[in-house]
Amino acid sequence: MRFLPHSCFLATLLVAAPTAGRAQPGSPSAYRAAASQANLLIHTKLDLRFDYAKRYAYGKAWLTLKPQGYATDSLVLDAKGMDISELSLVQGTARRPLTYVYRQQQLRIALGRALAPGEAYTIYLAYTAKPDELHAKGSAAIEEAKGLFFINPDSAVSGKPVQIWTQGETESNSAWFPTIDKPNQKTTSEISLTVPSKYLTLSNGQLTSQVPAGPGLRTDTWTMSEPHAPYLVMLAVGSFKVHRDTWRGKEVNYYLEPQYANQAAAIFGKTPQMLEFFSQRLGVAFPWNKYSQIVCRDYTSGAMENVTASLFGEQAQGTARELLDWEYAGVEREIAHELFHHWFGDYVTCESWSNLTVNESLANFSEILWAEHAHGPDAGAAHADLSLRTYLRDPTNYAKPLVRFTYADKEDLFDNVTYAKGGSILNMLRAYLGEDVFFRGLQGYLTQNAFGTGEAQQLRLALEAASGQDLNWFFNQWYYGAGHPIVTIEYQWDAARHRQAVVVRQTQAGAPFRVPLTVAVYAQGRVQNYPALLSHAVDTLYFPSATQPDLVNVDVDKVLVWQKQDRKPLTAFAYQYAHAPRYADRREALAAAGPLAPDPLARKLLLAGLRDKSPALRELAIGLLDLKDAATRKAAAPVLAKLAAGDEIVKVRAAALKALGTLKNSAYATLFERALASPSYKVQAAALLGLLPLQPARALARAIAFEADNKGALTGALTTVYGQAGGPAQWPLVLRKFDAAGPQGRFDIGPGLTALLCHLDDPAALPQGIDRLKDLGVKYKSYGVDKGVIRSLRSLQQQQAARPNAALASTLVEAAIREIEAAP
């Protein structure tokens, strides 16, 4: 599963502060052991029908189990919020009723006699699942935990499809079928779904039967012959169009809503290449009999790696125009992530949620692998850098170990320690061990634990076997400890001894980290690499050099999980930009130049960045330019205009247009007008915002013209124009767009909605807008959004103070703020 953090125009991003320690976080929670296995699941057979009006599922389940380790006369099943109409032991063709106790979460069943270890038996249950009546708590990663979701079942929302789909992780599948809902259980499955014949179905494994089931109905049976964890069981029902592909003779299918079917190959078409690449790189061929991917409405998270049938939220389908604005960090990354789970998570599943890292950290790491392979080393490094900065930006991450045996709720583990930090640690370990040894270790882990479970210690042992090294120090430090090194790096040249000293101070709380690394010394046009080891609060490293080096580059591989303050001069950073080979070398140099931008050398560096081969660095350089400085503006503007007119990468064009827009120079009005004809919504948005301060009436007219076709960034820009230049006529559309948008879309529309509300004199508009802003503050308070919302509401209150509805605005704002502040 991919963690999908919400960003927001209202929230101030947390900036990593030098306070990381290594102490284990204090917690009142008890030690979280792996679930005991009194009984093992062997096979799950389900027969399901659906009541769309009631949002119920009527199920029959045949569960085959066997005692593990000891004889037992009892069985505990997870079954949340169900009505149980029959529970029996299957004896040949007969069924013997069993006694049980049920308190709406678990069934405690008396089997009638003691069964020996390994003695298989089958339980039959008839039940009604009522997921909408559960009100189950979810998490930041998985918003709801009711397992089975009915989407628009009564067709009340015009134009919205009717669908049913499931979300099992972590332990929510037991809301729609009885099971032992733990990750250390493995079961084969057979699922029969009786549905209206106009719909398609999807589940795990292969479709082995389709038969009529009465007027307008059909029963589809899906069979999964390899064992998998219960949380990976899935179903989906709805009107989809299937694009069929293959890989090594296996089915590879993409299910989308019919209106997006023409984009199936553009969205998912790299899947066979990913299957081949991951199979070869891991030395373990994709182990399942087919692979399907389906896009569903109102999904509770980003995507989910259900075995052989990954499910994606609607962000994974779009029109041809929308796809022009997509970036690797969006859907393509997500596709790689969920596919890689079919090795790490599905083939070998975490033994317990405490060891979620062996699922999610590896899937996060796969995003870097695929970016490198498909888009080149710079793209892989850019994604690795993004992942590491995602972890570092929130200091609350620093106190959490990667493997967490104590936690308040298993859902809390789906965070940017497990994902972003864990993936970054693996990328660092790959560099330390070397490519071949690292992947031999992963191959060993997969083959030794095939169709079973794993934990971090087993990963360590496999990597030790491949490398011949003891890696306890690495796993104790990075998997079972918390935090990361925070370092300052200083340089001292000893001309008499022809020796370069590098002083590295670890300033984080707690014991120093052990950090192997490579240092490159550039002098007289040559480079020499030296291995080094940091292990003390202060380490002084010495390197011979005939002359004072032009550059000392600490951490040549640029993969260390740390925060560093590198106190070398700008001249050294400029040399690094020009001569060091990696994306991160150039990014570091540009980042160092940014705060010094009026300096001629810093300006030269940033201007070079505008022409960098990496789109990410061109975009970064644009953002770092100080266009208030006359010399910078004069030098950069022609380059920005060229990028805005013709850069092949959409996000770079948009960034250049945005930068030119800040100049408010009428000379660029024609450029903005031309860019409004771009097929990219993102480019059109930047151009529209650039035109707004120059020709507000023209910008308003163009925004109105875009009402027939606007999505994504263009919708946000359109509402911004309405906020500054629009009036009452635009308010209904802004509300409709806000209500139809997902979380990110609402954050994008929010500034325009607020600005427009500030100068509207319609008393009906005030409660409409204020209520929506309040809801954002309440729902996303855990992300710090509440503070930004309150500031926006106060600004609205002030700007309405001299208008006819000042008293109403003040009353509504005060009430909204009280509600936000009272929210948990």
Side-chain angles (χ1 to χ4, degrees):
M1 162 138 333
R2 182 174 75 86
F3 176 53
L4 192 65
H6 302 285
S7 59
C8 179
F9 77 96
L10 295 166
T12 300
L13 287 178
L14 293 170
V15 178
T19 57
R22 296 184 59 194
Q24 296 284 344
S27 172
S29 306
Y31 173 80
R32 304 285 184 161
S36 298
Q37 296 175 310
N39 289 275
L40 293 181
L41 281 168
I42 300 173
H43 183 67
T44 299
K45 179 180 177 181
L46 303 175
D47 185 337
L48 291 161
R49 295 171 179 260
F50 304 97
D51 187 326
Y52 284 78
K54 293 182 179 179
R55 304 187 183 199
Y56 286 178
Y58 303 115
K60 300 175 182 178
W62 294 260
L63 305 180
T64 301
L65 309 100
K66 62 182 179 182
Q68 166 78 348
Y70 304 95
T72 185
D73 61 359
S74 63
L75 168 66
V76 177
L77 294 177
D78 299 296
K80 299 183 177 77
M82 298 178 183
D83 292 339
I84 308 297
S85 56
E86 182 181 347
L87 199 163
S88 305
L89 180 69
V90 176
Q91 296 178 317
T93 58
R95 297 198 294 261
R96 177 170 63 83
L98 297 175
T99 59
Y100 62 91
V101 175
Y102 183 43
R103 292 188 174 89
Q104 295 300 297
Q105 292 293 313
Q106 288 186 322
L107 283 160
R108 297 184 175 274
I109 304 165
L111 298 175
R113 68 177 180 86
L115 288 89
E119 182 181 352
Y121 64 96
T122 299
I123 297 292
Y124 169 79
L125 302 98
Y127 63 93
T128 301
K130 302 182 288 185
D132 277 40
E133 298 175 17
L134 272 180
H135 306 295
K137 174 185 177 292
S139 67
I142 309 158
E143 291 181 1
E144 293 183 86
K146 60 184 180 181
L148 181 68
F149 294 76
F150 288 82
I151 307 303
N152 200 26
D154 51 6
S155 301
V157 180
S158 177
K160 186 174 186 177
V162 176
Q163 296 177 349
I164 302 173
W165 48 261
T166 59
Q167 166 54 43
E169 195 173 33
T170 49
E171 297 174 9
S172 300
N173 271 344
S174 50
W176 62 276
F177 69 93
T179 188
I180 304 176
D181 209 351
K182 300 297 177 185
N184 60 354
Q185 291 285 341
K186 292 286 179 108
T187 179
T188 56
S189 61
E190 178 184 309
I191 302 178
S192 295
L193 306 171
T194 299
V195 299
S197 54
K198 62 183 177 180
Y199 294 139
L200 293 182
T201 69
L202 176 65
S203 189
N204 314 98
Q206 294 182 313
L207 181 63
T208 52
S209 172
Q210 281 190 308
V211 296
L217 297 175
R218 186 189 71 250
T219 299
D220 293 352
T221 299
W222 294 83
T223 303
M224 183 69 243
S225 57
E226 302 291 354
H228 51 282
Y231 77 86
L232 297 170
V233 175
M234 71 84 68
L235 64 85
V237 182
S239 296
F240 301 97
K241 190 168 182 179
V242 186
H243 181 98
R244 303 190 185 280
D245 212 335
T246 61
W247 173 78
R248 293 191 187 181
K250 295 184 178 184
E251 293 181 27
V252 178
N253 302 320
Y254 322 132
Y255 290 65
L256 291 94
E257 293 174 39
Q259 67 268 34
Y260 299 107
N262 289 341
Q263 308 309 318
I267 297 168
F268 291 107
K270 292 180 182 177
T271 302
Q273 298 167 254
M274 291 183 182
L275 283 160
E276 187 62 31
F277 171 66
F278 289 147
S279 293
Q280 290 191 17
R281 201 70 199 86
L282 293 170
V284 176
F286 179 75
W288 309 99
N289 55 19
K290 76 110 186 322
Y291 189 52
S292 296
Q293 293 166 103
I294 188 168
V295 182
C296 293
R297 290 289 187 100
D298 296 350
Y299 186 52
T300 59
S301 186
M304 178 65 204
E305 66 274 14
N306 308 298
V307 65
T308 75
S310 291
L311 193 153
F312 295 78
E314 59 199 89
Q315 77 282 349
Q317 60 187 6
T319 64
R321 286 194 65 190
E322 288 178 287
L323 266 60
L324 293 174
D325 291 343
W326 284 13
E327 299 178 21
Y328 176 75
V331 175
E332 185 177 346
R333 171 196 68 83
E334 204 167 41
I335 292 169
H337 181 113
E338 305 308 334
L339 175 56
F340 206 69
H341 267 310
H342 280 71
W343 286 268
F344 297 94
D346 295 8
Y347 189 52
V348 182
T349 307
C350 60
E351 182 191 31
S352 67
W353 298 119
S354 295
N355 275 279
L356 183 63
T357 177
V358 298
N359 290 12
E360 295 298 350
S361 300
L362 280 144
N364 182 278
F365 169 69
S366 76
E367 302 165 11
I368 301 169
L369 286 182
W370 178 249
E372 285 177 359
H373 175 76
H375 304 288
D378 275 3
H383 193 71
D385 176 71
L386 175 64
S387 190
L388 179 57
R389 285 187 288 114
T390 297
Y391 158 70
L392 290 174
R393 74 187 181 195
D394 183 357
T396 64
N397 290 330
Y398 303 170
K400 302 173 185 176
L402 192 54
V403 178
R404 262 169 276 175
F405 290 112
T406 61
Y407 52 81
D409 192 306
K410 59 188 178 298
E411 304 294 339
D412 299 337
L413 299 171
F414 292 80
D415 61 12
N416 278 319
V417 175
T418 299
Y419 286 72
K421 184 185 183 185
S424 299
I425 287 169
L426 287 160
N427 198 38
M428 178 171 60
L429 184 56
R430 172 174 62 146
Y432 174 71
L433 293 176
E435 202 78 7
D436 291 343
V437 167
F438 177 78
F439 283 102
R440 270 206 313 276
L442 294 189
Q443 181 187 33
Y445 171 82
L446 290 170
T447 55
Q448 292 159 19
N449 302 292
F451 297 112
T453 61
E455 57 177 291
Q457 292 288 16
Q458 288 168 298
L459 180 62
R460 174 183 64 82
L461 291 171
L463 290 165
E464 287 184 342
S467 66
Q469 297 186 42
D470 186 306
L471 294 175
N472 272 294
W473 70 269
F474 186 94
F475 277 76
N476 288 341
Q477 178 173 279
W478 290 111
Y479 278 75
Y480 301 104
H484 55 270
I486 298 174
V487 303
T488 60
I489 306 174
E490 296 174 319
Y491 305 87
Q492 300 167 359
W493 167 243
D494 187 338
R497 298 185 181 185
H498 299 286
R499 187 171 73 171
Q500 176 69 54
V502 178
V503 182
V504 184
R505 291 181 172 84
Q506 297 192 39
T507 62
Q508 74 279 352
F513 279 71
R514 180 183 179 188
V515 184
L517 74 167
T518 302
V519 179
V521 178
Y522 291 75
Q524 296 181 310
R526 301 179 62 186
V527 59
Q528 179 69 47
N529 288 340
Y530 298 94
L533 176 67
L534 308 178
S535 57
H536 304 92
V538 181
D539 284 289
T540 302
L541 312 174
Y542 296 100
F543 306 101
S545 181
T547 61
Q548 183 172 2
D550 299 295
L551 168 68
V552 178
N553 193 5
V554 177
D555 180 25
V556 165
D557 294 317
K558 292 291 184 289
V559 293
L560 292 182
V561 178
W562 67 356
Q563 289 169 287
K564 68 176 179 178
Q565 186 178 9
D566 199 339
R567 294 176 177 169
K568 59 192 171 197
L570 187 59
T571 53
F573 278 115
Y575 192 94
Q576 178 173 310
Y577 183 88
H579 295 91
R582 299 183 185 275
Y583 166 92
D585 294 312
R586 307 196 309 278
R587 191 186 194 285
E588 279 184 5
L590 293 175
L596 307 173
D599 179 277
L601 182 55
R603 183 187 308 123
K604 182 180 178 181
L605 252 178
L606 295 177
L607 290 171
L610 295 180
R611 299 177 175 89
D612 198 280
K613 64 179 180 177
S614 164
L617 294 186
R618 295 200 296 278
E619 184 183 22
L620 175 66
I622 292 169
L624 291 173
L625 288 169
D626 179 9
L627 294 176
K628 295 178 181 178
D629 175 67
T632 301
R633 187 166 62 248
K634 181 179 179 180
V639 185
L640 289 172
K642 186 176 180 180
L643 294 174
D647 196 280
E648 62 182 7
I649 303 300
V650 162
K651 68 175 183 176
V652 177
R653 285 194 68 193
L657 286 163
K658 182 179 178 181
L660 290 173
T662 66
L663 302 180
K664 300 181 182 179
N665 187 335
S666 60
Y668 298 114
T670 301
L671 176 61
F672 295 142
E673 282 280 5
R674 288 174 181 164
L676 288 172
S678 169
S680 160
Y681 292 120
K682 190 172 288 186
V683 170
Q684 285 183 323
L688 187 62
L689 294 176
L691 189 62
L692 177 60
L694 303 177
Q695 300 175 12
R698 176 63 175 159
L700 178 60
R702 294 306 305 266
I704 291 170
F706 285 138
E707 287 186 3
D709 183 9
N710 64 90
K711 292 184 178 179
L714 183 56
T715 301
L718 181 149
T719 56
T720 298
V721 171
Y722 289 167
Q724 294 187 32
Q730 281 72 52
W731 180 248
L733 181 133
V734 172
L735 281 185
R736 288 199 303 274
K737 286 292 183 180
F738 185 92
D739 291 343
Q744 184 59 57
R746 292 186 178 188
F747 298 146
D748 293 341
I749 294 167
L753 180 147
T754 305
L756 180 56
L757 197 61
C758 285
H759 61 257
L760 287 184
D761 294 328
D762 179 1
L766 285 169
Q768 292 171 333
I770 290 171
D771 191 57
R772 284 162 173 80
L773 291 173
K774 176 209 62 180
D775 288 345
L776 279 179
V778 170
K779 186 170 184 179
Y780 300 106
K781 187 173 182 178
S782 62
Y783 295 95
V785 171
D786 56 313
K787 298 176 181 63
V789 170
I790 290 172
R791 287 195 297 270
S792 295
L793 289 170
R794 289 294 184 202
S795 176
L796 169 63
Q797 186 178 25
Q798 291 170 7
Q799 294 187 57
Q800 279 280 343
R803 305 188 75 88
N805 297 306
L808 174 61
S810 182
T811 299
L812 292 171
V813 165
E814 294 296 341
I817 290 173
R818 285 196 298 272
E819 190 169 339
I820 293 169
E821 290 176 339

